[in-house]
């Protein structure tokens, strides 16, 4: 089977990723899963008035209001077949700050040739992702249109009330680590949240996903 990211990028672009990024983003059913462990060297947020917005996101494991440095973290990338028959990959990031457990929950599927990122514990927010390979073999990911789904309610989420994420992931041959840099900006209010860090990966055969990593519900709408 072809992985979600390989299918979205296409063979030519995927082959231009650094070989270690090819392995990491080729997580798929019948293939491998991976677990990364490392350190977020910096976790940042915008001005004080962004905190209420971030606190709302925290309630569903979408955003967090914390600021810290050198925080150990874990990311689980595990493929599974969701109840709707879609191959799905988890991107669950977990860490502890001042005794408080924090998580970013994301599950990604392929729909009409693009990656759709469901954010949060209940997949309320479906976000289109634009992927591109940079000259150094890194992967650049930008978020696009967002749609909110809850029960009978479904609408395109206005970007004036949300954030646009830009994430770059690369592999450094010198230190043998994956490096990530994420920033989330609002079109009107500017910088909301971001982090940067590095990690190493352990690969294992794809198998059953621990229930704690699964969303509490699966949203059929994209």
């Amino acid at each position: 089977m072809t992985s979600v990211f390989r299918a979205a990028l296409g063979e030519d672009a995927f082959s231009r990723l650094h070989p270690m990024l090819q392995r990491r983003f080729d997580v798929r059913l019948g293939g491998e899963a991976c677990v990364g462990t490392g350190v977020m060297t910096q976790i940042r947020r915008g001005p004080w008035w962004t905190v209420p917005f971030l606190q709302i996101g925290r309630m569903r494991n979408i955003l967090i209001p914390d600021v810290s440095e050198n925080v150990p973290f874990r990311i689980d990338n595990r493929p599974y077949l969701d109840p709707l028959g879609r191959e799905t990959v988890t991107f669950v990031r977990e860490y502890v700050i001042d005794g408080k457990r924090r998580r970013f929950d994301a599950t990604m599927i392929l729909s009409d040739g693009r990656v759709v990122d469901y954010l949060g514990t209940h997949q309320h927010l479906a976000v289109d992702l634009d992927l591109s390979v940079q000259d150094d073999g890194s992967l650049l990911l930008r978020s696009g249109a967002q749609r909110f789904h809850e029960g009978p309610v479904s609408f395109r989420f206005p970007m004036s009330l949300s954030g646009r994420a830009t994430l770059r992931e690369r592999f450094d041959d010198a230190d043998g680590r994956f490096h990530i840099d994420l920033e989330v900006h609002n079109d009107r209010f500017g910088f909301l949240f971001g982090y940067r860090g590095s990690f190493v990966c352990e690969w294992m055969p794809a198998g059953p996903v621990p229930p704690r990593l699964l969303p509490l519900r699966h949203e059929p709408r994209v």
Side-chain angles (χ1 to χ4, degrees):
M1 298 180 68
T2 300
S3 70
V4 168
F5 285 87
R6 183 188 287 269
L9 280 167
E11 287 296 333
D12 179 64
F14 193 83
S15 69
R16 291 189 283 109
L17 285 171
H18 187 285
M20 293 301 291
L21 286 180
Q22 290 185 44
R23 186 177 186 186
R24 173 160 154 68
F25 287 99
D26 204 26
V27 165
R28 58 187 168 83
L29 290 171
E32 292 183 308
C34 74
V35 176
T37 53
V39 174
M40 291 184 180
T41 53
Q42 187 179 56
I43 301 174
R44 303 179 295 142
R45 63 166 171 78
W48 63 268
W49 41 263
T50 64
V51 173
F53 176 86
L54 298 174
Q55 288 284 13
I56 293 172
R58 179 190 61 79
M59 294 171 64
R60 291 297 172 91
N61 292 353
I62 298 174
L63 294 169
I64 63 160
D66 302 301
V67 175
S68 193
E69 295 181 344
N70 299 320
V71 178
F73 78 101
R74 170 187 173 117
I75 178 168
D76 278 84
N77 298 118
R78 299 177 184 262
Y80 69 97
L81 200 66
D82 78 4
L84 302 164
R86 305 175 299 190
E87 179 162 357
T88 307
V89 180
T90 68
F91 277 74
V92 176
R93 305 163 185 87
E94 300 177 279
Y95 55 91
V96 177
I97 295 181
D98 297 329
K100 300 174 183 175
R101 291 193 168 274
R102 300 300 197 204
R103 277 177 58 149
F104 302 120
D105 285 19
T107 42
M108 302 189 188
I109 67 165
L110 186 72
S111 177
D112 293 330
R114 73 186 189 280
V115 175
V116 175
D117 185 5
Y118 288 107
L119 299 178
T121 55
H122 291 67
Q123 294 192 341
H124 284 313
L125 203 58
V127 180
D128 293 343
L129 300 184
D130 177 53
L131 311 175
S132 59
V133 180
Q134 306 303 289
D135 290 341
D136 62 353
S138 63
L139 180 66
L140 185 65
L141 179 156
R142 292 189 176 98
S143 65
Q146 303 179 8
R147 296 161 299 280
F148 181 85
H149 305 301
E150 170 60 27
V153 177
S154 181
F155 60 89
R156 183 161 176 157
F157 204 83
M159 296 309 297
S160 61
L161 299 177
S162 188
R164 297 182 187 273
T166 301
L167 181 146
R168 180 177 179 237
E169 184 165 327
R170 63 183 178 87
F171 186 83
D172 190 330
D173 289 304
D175 62 13
R177 299 175 69 85
F178 294 89
H179 292 258
I180 50 173
D181 193 341
L182 168 76
E183 289 192 355
V184 180
H185 291 257
N186 176 268
D187 290 347
R188 176 178 297 179
F189 300 113
F191 176 75
L192 297 176
F193 171 77
Y195 65 80
R196 63 172 55 100
S198 67
F199 59 96
V200 295
C201 274
E202 176 187 359
W203 279 270
M204 65 282 298
V209 178
R212 68 180 182 82
L213 299 175
L214 298 174
L216 298 181
R217 71 166 185 138
H218 287 86
E219 173 57 55
R221 293 163 291 190
V222 295

